[in-house]
Amino acid sequence: MSVKEIQAELTKMSQQEQADVARFLETLQETHSPEFRQQLAQRHREMDAGRKISEADLARILSAKPTA
């Protein structure tokens, strides 16, 4: 699919769908940035060094958070 075809399809979408696509594209750009890759590598190093939590602890933390 060409860029022009994608653009044509985007103009047919609702504002909500266009906003969803925009968020997706922003996320895609962020996850391919050097800064994101550096942060991810740092987090992996921390986890390898033992800084992590168990699945049970994560479930407890998430269940304690109020839902919006």
Side-chain angles (χ1 to χ4, degrees), residues 24-42:
F24 170 75
L25 291 173
E26 288 172 7
T27 300
L28 193 60
Q29 283 184 316
E30 288 173 5
T31 59
H32 287 86
S33 73
E35 295 84 13
F36 177 83
R37 291 183 186 276
Q38 289 172 349
Q39 290 174 352
L40 189 59
Q42 177 62 35

Side-chain angles (χ1 to χ4, degrees), residues 54-65:
S54 69
E55 185 177 348
D57 287 340
L58 178 59
R60 182 179 43 77
I61 291 167
L62 292 176
S63 67
K65 286 191 137 208

Side-chain angles (χ1 to χ4, degrees), residues 1-67:
M1 183 176 271
S2 72
V3 172
K4 286 188 184 267
E5 290 171 321
I6 293 170
Q7 290 171 333
E9 289 301 314
L10 287 169
T11 62
K12 298 175 188 174
M13 292 180 178
S14 69
Q15 285 184 338
Q16 181 60 52
E17 290 170 323
Q18 290 175 359
D20 291 343
V21 170
R23 277 191 295 280
F24 170 75
L25 291 173
E26 288 172 7
T27 300
L28 193 60
Q29 283 184 316
E30 288 173 5
T31 59
H32 287 86
S33 73
E35 295 84 13
F36 177 83
R37 291 183 186 276
Q38 289 172 349
Q39 290 174 352
L40 189 59
Q42 177 62 35
R43 289 181 185 142
H44 283 174
R45 285 190 296 275
E46 290 173 0
M47 288 175 61
D48 289 344
R51 288 194 59 207
K52 50 190 161 191
I53 62 173
S54 69
E55 185 177 348
D57 287 340
L58 178 59
R60 182 179 43 77
I61 291 167
L62 292 176
S63 67
K65 286 191 137 208
T67 57

